């Protein structure tokens, strides 16, 4: 057909236009078009229609020059226009309704429905009966009406206004049909418009702009429109009335005429005059005889209304006032309708024979409808308010309880961190209960139906189910709304009367109950999908899974397909106010599978109060179909995909727009319902005030969040001059008959252009990153507990200040007690005191305690916020009192651990009593057991057992005290592997100081370094900044490691004050750094994560040392271990052994642990030396060690280990040395380690006996006593053992005088002790029985790592100088490919393939050390201090190792940095020739 050809729709008559084709973002859709070329007519029409711009029918066509000249020549020609059913001439303008109907004929079912829905929103008449252009078969497009609802108000017999809201296909209303016979001079459609809405052309007519005499596709079409009353006295009709308009000569369209006349309540006929000989006379005669009211409108008659007989009227139209005529017709129709009982229901049109119904012709639609009807049958006889509880149990109370627990978990109070595990347990239990809930037959049926290969059938099913559910709940929902309104009015009346009676309380409770009922009654597709999400989440979260009878993995795929098909997905459950992260992540994973992992999205959010027009605006902007009816506001947040056309992808740099997810970094303010067209100019002052308010708000927020922002635009891109929009009223007139205001549609188009302009300049998110962004955002929202816990920002600020002071007070007490503990420990060691009482500790702490009390009083009395702070005074005073009592008790326990020697004397006293029963072994054993039990019980009472420690919980508690519970979510679990040393860039942890704060400009023209943080957006830290921060972290880590060793935990035990001291030091270093000459500040998160990272790394060291302390000092453990030894000595006392014999045995028992420690330490030193000689990787300098590390990395081919080595070389060296030592000890234990240990213990045994012998001789020569012997003995051993006279304090030995016997006893007992120690030597005990700093791996780490660790600012290669803080330049044997550190070419996504040594030889290559500096590579030393200290000499050597690495791990590197080795960074082909063997051999050559 010529028309379809001219409209470029020939191919679409069979290959139908789809919704996805017209909803995608195109270049054309981003421009406003009041006129267009003929070939763009379809695009422009659809664009305007989807934006609800009723001017879609009034598009002016721009004529080409040649066509314009042809029309001028033919202006007076008789052949100017040719008209036929088959097409239009080239010279004739295309009729606007032909454009509409051409699209209608070429659209698939879903696009037709969208078109008709939008036409209805534009208050246009809709196609009811449509002849096929080729076959003339009449189609009734019932499917297209399914989504249309109409609202109206009527007055009942009591003059009360009754509201109606119904799907239009079900509404039973009167119907008035209009048709004409022959050609008439008056426009039937224009006349109908004057009856319905004289201000709007509901039906297109001959006098509308753009109309032409030729129309191809409208003859025989029946259009329908409804008049909807507003319940006012000015309504033209008191009921909702349907108006049908048959286009063309009714005599030529008998089937359409038959249907209309049968179904109409009133028939209106327009004709020139009555003529018996007219070909339509018989039809008119039959209509006249019919009982239905009939109105004749004669175009050639001037008479007023005349009732020819009962129910039959004639009215003349010629030369009469249009308003008078319209009023007469309206009055007659109203009179006829008042007496008529017939009604019209759109759905009933399908009952007529010989017409095609679209739903019956489409097999997918039929199957979808049957499935939807089956679903609805499962809801029969169910109470609406109980449906969700019975059919959707997974999203009910259990889900809400889990959400509440999760919020509590993310918002812990300072003293609740220890409850985390309990909350986790409760959440697991709730998930298990949720999982055990039955999946209803309703849900099983839904899942099975949607798990179908037919995408179209699924969409029909989902849309029809949504329609049926809306219809199902509408009646009950209206009734509940009515109850709510009445109850609310009652409550308001009582409040206005200041009524404080019980009645108000009762009515308020009832109002709340109705509100809950209203919430329970809301039931739609989103609730079904929410249930699926919770079925998936609960099943994914439990270990013991039941048989679900459904395929779990299909659920996210189902949701992803729905999103691709255009359905929105609920992101946040509005009832639970929670994001189901597991479910959303799984759906996004499926989206990635279906759309590709390189899919990019631009995120657009619309924020505003309820019913403020957000959904309407989105629907207009993108042609979406969010529910918009007032009172049906959907709680929660949804997301929906809008496709970007292929032509626009390159320009916009993204593939989809994702609507309603709040991730955007720029904003536009929209003021709606502004009538003044000059509002923008008049409101300059208002915009300035808005800017000032936003800036002030930003400053306050920045102070709270320690964020360096002065202006709103520092946080979110915003320009008050261009980003404030004023929208016209949505409606042109008063609803329900008003069409959308075209000015509103224009405003929408302008806003769309502004947003897309922002989009083109904004960061895009890869779909693969989106789930992380959503998760991060939700976690951030979850932990902002202060928004929910405090009434206003003043309270937030005051409480944070109080927490800061509390941290200082508690630290003052702990710090003072640490000093006291150290002092008293020294006194005990020097035997100045033997026992510590609580009173001593309290006296020592008194001065500090009084200072703290004074500080607390002053703070609460004098602070400017004292009136607010007073609420927390008592609780914080009690907290400080608890802290003080706890540290006193803990210190007393640690210091009073010397019970062993007293126990010897007590057992000796008991033995003397039992001397006469020495031969009765059973009695001795029994008496000793009773004695032992009693004494150990007393010790436990006096000194409680040493508790197990949980360092990370202490750290979290401390950070909660410092930063009010704002602990990073990723660190809430102890198994988190997150380490700040492993991050690629520190940009996300800093904010820039005001002097340098600005956006990074992409003006660089060659390779420059920028880094992608985990958020996916390009950051702005310079290489120097990154190096400074990394250096700070490394130095802090080294210093804190030494601090931990200085705490001497294995001797003094662990105390939370250790962590306080570490935290205080780290905080001080961070503060000093950012106060220095740097252009950034650290976020609070940086300090917290640094503390956590360091403490996680130190966890094993501290735990090992605390274990040693506990084994040595916990009375229960220690005495239990010694029980056999005590019993042995007790037996000897009982059997009358001499004092010398018993004293000798006690000495040997006391020597056991010092011997063991000495042997381990000596063996560790020996092993270190042996490994330095025998272990190939450890027998040279650090460069040799690095060579072996590189070889090992190449052999293992583990990319993540490589990146750890590149980013954190010092750490990697440590791990490598530890692995080498561990492997050596395991492999050589029998032949080397065990042999050394036995040699060392034998040597020590000899020295002990030599000391005993020499001591005996010394006493004999000097006629000394046992005291002199003991003093000489300990002095002789002082260089090989930690053993002194104080170890025997409390053991009475004054009566020992047989020194020869003493020496013999020591010789005999020592053999047994040595044998016992030797038998325990194995690969497991060797590392754990040594204090951390004495282990061979730590000795070797200390040897190899006390050197220079500065990395090349380009490629991260490590300086090879073995002296820390050495003189002269840094240098390295061979540099690497600079792309390994993330350097890439500016304005590209291409990683650099340069090697430093070849780059400095290039005279034309530049780099950018910062955003304002451009430096030649060969002049790199001028780029700043970090560059000036390096010596990089030009070298064009092959360097196979790193070239092989780049080729081998190219894809891994590209994924790691989200960049590629393409373009300027393309890897040279010759690099690919290097094998791993070549790489390994090159290491021997260059190192």
């Amino acid at each position: 057909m010529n028309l379809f050809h001219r409209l470029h729709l020939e191919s679409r008559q069979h290959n139908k236009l789809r919704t996805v084709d017209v909803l995608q973002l195109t270049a054309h859709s981003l421009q406003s078009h009041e006129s267009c070329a003929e070939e763009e007519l379809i695009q422009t029409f659809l664009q305007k229609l989807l934006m609800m711009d009723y001017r879609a029918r009034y598009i002016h066509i721009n004529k080409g020059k040649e066509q314009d000249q042809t029309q001028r020549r033919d202006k007076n020609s008789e052949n100017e226009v040719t008209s036929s059913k088959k097409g239009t001439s080239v010279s004739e303008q295309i009729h606007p309704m032909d454009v509409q109907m051409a699209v209608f004929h070429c659209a698939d079912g879903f696009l037709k429905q969208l078109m008709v829905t939008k036409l209805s929103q534009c208050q246009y008449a809709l196609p009811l009966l449509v002849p096929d252009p080729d076959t003339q078969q009449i189609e009734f497009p019932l499917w297209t009406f399914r989504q249309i609802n109409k609202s109206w108000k009527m007055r009942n017999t009591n003059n009360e206004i009754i509201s109606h809201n119904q799907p239009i296909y079900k509404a039973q209303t009167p119907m008035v049909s209009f048709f004409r016979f022959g050609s008439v001079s008056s426009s039937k459609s224009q006349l109908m418009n004057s009856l319905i809405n004289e201000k709007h052309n509901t039906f297109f007519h001959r006098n509308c702009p753009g109309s032409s005499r030729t129309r191809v596709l409208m003859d025989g079409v029946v259009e329908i429109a409804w008049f909807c009353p507003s319940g006012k006295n000015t309504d033209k009709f008191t009921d909702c009335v349907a108006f049908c308009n048959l286009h063309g000569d009714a005599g030529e369209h008998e089937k359409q005429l038959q249907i209309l006349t049968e179904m109409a309540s009133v028939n209106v006929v327009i004709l020139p005059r009555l003529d018996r000989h007219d070909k339509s006379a018989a039809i008119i005669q039959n209509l006249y005889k019919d009982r239905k009211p009939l109105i004749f409108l004669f175009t050639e008659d001037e008479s007023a209304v005349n009732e020819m007989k009962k129910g039959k009227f004639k009215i003349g139209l010629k030369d009469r006032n249009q308003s008078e005529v319209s009023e007469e017709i309206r009055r007659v129709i109203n009179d006829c309708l008042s007496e008529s009982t017939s009604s019209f229901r759109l759905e009933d049109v399908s009952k007529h024979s010989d017409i095609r119904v679209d739903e019956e012709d489409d097999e997918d639609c039929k199957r979808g409808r049957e499935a939807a009807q089956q679903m609805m049958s499962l809801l029969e006889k169910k109470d609406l308010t109980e449906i969700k509880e019975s059919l959707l149990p997974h999203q009910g109370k259990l889900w809400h309880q889990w959400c509440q627990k999760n919020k509590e978990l993310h918002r812990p109070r300072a003293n609740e961190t220890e409850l985390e595990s309990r909350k986790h347990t409760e959440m697991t239990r709730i998930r298990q209960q949720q999982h055990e809930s039955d999946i209803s037959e309703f849900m099983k049926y839904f899942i099975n139906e949607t798990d179908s290969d037919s995408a179209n059938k699924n969409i029909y099913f989902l849309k029809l189910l949504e329609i049926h559910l809306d219809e199902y709940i509408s009646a009950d929902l209206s009734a509940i709304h009515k109850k709510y309104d009445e109850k609310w009015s009652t409550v308001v009346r009582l409040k206005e009367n200041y009524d404080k009676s019980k009645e108000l309380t009762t009515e308020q409770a009832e109002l709340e109950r109705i509100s809950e009922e209203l919430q329970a009654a809301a039931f739609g597709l989103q609730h079904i999908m929410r249930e699926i999400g919770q079925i998936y989440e609960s099943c994914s979260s439990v270990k013991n899974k039941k048989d679900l009878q459904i395929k779990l993995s299909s659920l996210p795929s189902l949701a992803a397909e729905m999103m691709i098909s255009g359905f929105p997905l609920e992101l946040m459950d509005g009832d639970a106010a929670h994001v189901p992260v597991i479910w959303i992540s799984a759906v996004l994973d499926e989206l990635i599978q279906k759309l590709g992992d390189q899919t990019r999205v631009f995120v657009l959010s619309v924020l505003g109060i309820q019913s403020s027009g957000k959904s309407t605006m989105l629907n207009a902007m993108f042609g979406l179909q969010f529910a918009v009816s007032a009172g049906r506001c959907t709680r929660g947040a949804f997301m929906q995909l809008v496709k970007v056309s292929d032509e626009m992808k390159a320009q916009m740099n993204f593939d989809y727009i994702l609507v309603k997810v709040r991730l955007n970094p720029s904003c536009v303010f929209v003021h709606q319902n502004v009538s003044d067209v000059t509002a923008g100019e008049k409101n300059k002052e208002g915009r300035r005030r808005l800017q000032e308010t936003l800036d002030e708000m930003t400053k306050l927020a920045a102070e709270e969040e320690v964020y360096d922002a002065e202006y709103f635009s520092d946080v979110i891109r915003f320009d008050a001059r261009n980003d404030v929009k004023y929208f016209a009223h949505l409606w042109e007139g008063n609803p329900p008959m008003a069409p959308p205001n075209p000015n509103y549609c224009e405003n929408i188009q302008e806003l769309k252009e502004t947003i897309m302009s922002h989009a083109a300049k904004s960061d895009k998110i890869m779909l693969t990153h989106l789930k992380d962004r959503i998760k991060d955002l939700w976690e951030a929202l979850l932990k902002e507990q202060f928004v929910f816990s405090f009434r206003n920002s003043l309270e937030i600020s005051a409480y944070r200040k109080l927490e800061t002071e509390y941290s200082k007070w508690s630290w003052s007490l702990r710090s003072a007690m640490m000093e006291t503990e150290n002092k008293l420990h020294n006194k005990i060691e020097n035997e100045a005191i033997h026992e510590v009482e609580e009173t001593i500790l309290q006296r020592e702490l008194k001065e500090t305690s009084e200072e703290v009390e004074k500080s607390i009083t002053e703070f609460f009395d004098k602070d400017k916020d004292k009136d607010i702070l007073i609420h927390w005074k008592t609780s914080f005073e009690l907290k400080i009192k608890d802290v003080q009592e706890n540290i006193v008790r803990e210190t007393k326990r640690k210091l009073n651990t010397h019970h062993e020697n007293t126990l010897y004397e007590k057992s000796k006293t008991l033995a003397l009593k039992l001397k006469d029963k020495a031969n009765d072994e059973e009695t001795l054993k029994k008496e000793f057991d009773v004695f032992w039990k009693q004494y150990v019980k007393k010790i436990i009472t006096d000194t409680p057992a040493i508790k197990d420690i949980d360092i990370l919980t202490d750290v979290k508690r401390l950070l909660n005290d410092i930063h009010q519970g704002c602990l990073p979510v990723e660190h809430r679990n102890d198994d988190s592997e997150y380490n700040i040393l492993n991050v690629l860039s520190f940009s996300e942890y800093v904010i820039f100081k005001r002097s340098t704060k600005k956006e990074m400009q992409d003006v660089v023209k060659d390779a420059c370094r920028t880094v992608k943080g985990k958020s996916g957006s390009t950051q702005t830290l310079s290489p120097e900044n990154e190096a400074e921060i990394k250096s700070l972290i490394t130095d802090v880590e080294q210093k804190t490691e030494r601090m931990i060793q200085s705490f001497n935990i294995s001797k003094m035990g662990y105390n939370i004050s250790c962590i306080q001291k570490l935290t205080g030091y780290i905080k001080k270093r961070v503060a000093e750094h950012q106060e220095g000459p740097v252009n950034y500040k650290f976020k609070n998160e940086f300090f917290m994560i640094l503390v956590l990272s360091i403490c996680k790394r130190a966890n094993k060291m501290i735990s090992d040392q605390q274990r040693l302390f506990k084994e040595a000092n916990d009375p229960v453990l220690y005495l239990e271990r010694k029980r056999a030894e005590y019993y042995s000595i007790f037996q000897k006392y009982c059997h009358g052994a001499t004092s010398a014999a018993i004293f000798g045995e006690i000495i040997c028992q006391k020597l056991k642990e010092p011997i063991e420690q000495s042997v381990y330490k000596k063996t560790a030193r020996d092993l270190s030396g042996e490994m330095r000689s025998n272990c190939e990787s450890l027998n040279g300098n650090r460069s040799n060690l690095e060579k072996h590390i590189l070889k090992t990395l190449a052999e293992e081919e583990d990319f993540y280990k490589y990146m750890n080595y590149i980013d954190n070389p010092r750490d990697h060296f440590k791990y490598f040395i530890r692995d080498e030592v561990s492997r050596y000890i395991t492999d050589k234990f029998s032949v080397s380690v065990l042999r050394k240990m036995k040699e060392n213990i034998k040597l020590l045994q000899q020295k002990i006996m030599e000391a005993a012998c020499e001591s005996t001789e010394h006493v004999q020569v000097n006629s000394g006593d046992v005291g002199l012997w003991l003093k000489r003995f300990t002095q002789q051993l002082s260089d090989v053992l930690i053993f002194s006279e104080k170890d025997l304090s409390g053991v009475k030995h004054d009566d020992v005088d047989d020194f020869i016997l003493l020496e013999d006893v020591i010789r005999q007992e020592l053999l047994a002790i040595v044998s016992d120690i030797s038998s325990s030597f194995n690969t497991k005990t060797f590392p754990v029985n040594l204090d951390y700093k004495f282990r061979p791996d730590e000795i070797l780490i200390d040897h190899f790592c006390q050197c220079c660790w500065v990395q090349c600012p380009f490629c991260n290669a490590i300086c090879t100088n073995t002296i820390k803080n050495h003189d002269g330049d840094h240098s390295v044997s061979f540099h690497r490919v600079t792309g390994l550190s993330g350097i890439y070419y500016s304005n590209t996504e291409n990683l650099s393939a340069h090697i430093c040594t070849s780059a400095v030889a290039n005279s034309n290559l530049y780099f950018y050390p910062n955003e304002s500096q451009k430096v030649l590579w060969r002049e790199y030393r001028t780029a700043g201090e970090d560059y000036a200290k390096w010596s990089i000499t030009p070298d064009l050597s092959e360097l196979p190792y790193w070239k092989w690495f780049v080729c081998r791990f190219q894809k891994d590197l590209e994924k790691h940095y989200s960049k590629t080795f393409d373009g300027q960074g393309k890897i040279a082909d010759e690099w690919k020739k290097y094998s791993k063997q070549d790489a390994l051999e090159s290491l021997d050559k260059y190192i």
Side-chain angles (χ1 to χ4, degrees), residues 205-217:
H205 57 84
R206 66 183 68 168
N207 298 315
C208 285
S211 179
S212 64
R213 283 179 289 172
T214 304
R215 70 179 187 210
V216 177
L217 299 176

Side-chain angles (χ1 to χ4, degrees), residues 871-1029:
H871 300 303
W872 302 299
K873 184 179 181 184
T874 304
S875 64
F876 271 79
E877 285 176 339
L878 291 172
K879 282 174 77 173
I880 286 294
K881 186 179 178 183
D882 286 344
V883 168
Q884 187 167 331
E885 290 175 355
N886 285 336
I887 60 177
V888 166
R889 280 197 300 267
E890 176 68 12
T891 305
K892 180 192 172 190
R893 180 197 62 72
K894 286 168 66 180
L895 291 171
N896 293 339
T897 55
H898 303 280
H899 304 278
E900 184 177 1
N901 296 337
T902 308
L903 198 53
Y904 278 126
E905 293 307 314
K906 295 277 185 183
S907 63
K908 181 178 180 181
T909 304
L910 177 63
L912 290 172
K913 289 180 185 177
L914 300 173
K915 212 164 191 180
D916 58 333
K917 298 180 182 178
N919 294 324
D920 187 350
E921 191 65 32
E922 188 176 339
T923 300
L924 291 181
K925 179 83 167 57
K926 187 177 179 182
E927 290 290 339
F928 180 81
D929 286 345
V930 172
F931 156 75
W932 183 266
K933 195 172 184 181
Q934 289 174 343
Y935 197 77
V936 168
K937 185 178 181 181
K938 182 179 183 302
I939 291 172
I940 292 171
T941 304
D942 292 344
T943 310
I946 298 172
K947 293 180 181 177
D948 292 329
I949 62 170
D950 187 342
I951 296 157
L952 296 180
T953 296
D954 285 347
V955 174
K956 292 173 190 175
R957 187 182 295 122
L958 205 59
L959 290 176
N960 272 321
D961 284 347
I962 296 170
H963 288 297
Q964 299 81 45
C966 297
L967 188 63
V969 175
E970 60 267 31
H971 288 282
R972 296 266 165 78
N973 297 323
D974 294 348
D975 59 356
S976 169
E977 293 298 323
Y978 190 80
N979 189 320
I980 202 164
L981 280 173
N982 294 337
V983 299
L984 286 175
S985 169
F986 301 105
S987 298
E988 63 180 300
Y989 299 111
V990 303
I991 50 170
F992 286 84
K993 293 180 181 175
R994 290 260 38 92
S995 58
T996 59
K997 172 72 178 176
K998 59 181 178 178
E999 291 294 322
M1000 180 70 168
Q1001 301 296 321
D1002 291 327
V1003 295
V1004 288
K1005 297 180 180 177
D1006 220 307
C1008 77
R1009 175 188 172 112
T1010 56
V1011 183
K1012 255 194 178 193
K1014 71 177 181 180
S1015 65
S1017 58
T1018 304
Q1019 308 293 321
T1020 58
L1021 270 179
S1022 68
E1024 293 94 331
N1025 295 151
E1026 298 280 7
E1028 286 165 0
I1029 297 171

Side-chain angles (χ1 to χ4, degrees), residues 88-120:
T88 63
S89 72
V90 175
S91 60
E92 178 58 65
Q93 181 173 309
I94 297 175
H95 194 284
M97 291 304 292
D98 280 342
V99 176
Q100 175 185 306
M101 295 312 296
V103 176
F104 187 85
H105 286 298
C106 292
D108 71 358
F110 303 117
L111 180 55
K112 276 184 184 175
Q113 187 184 68
L114 178 61
M115 275 184 66
V116 170
T117 304
K118 294 292 182 180
L119 285 168
S120 174

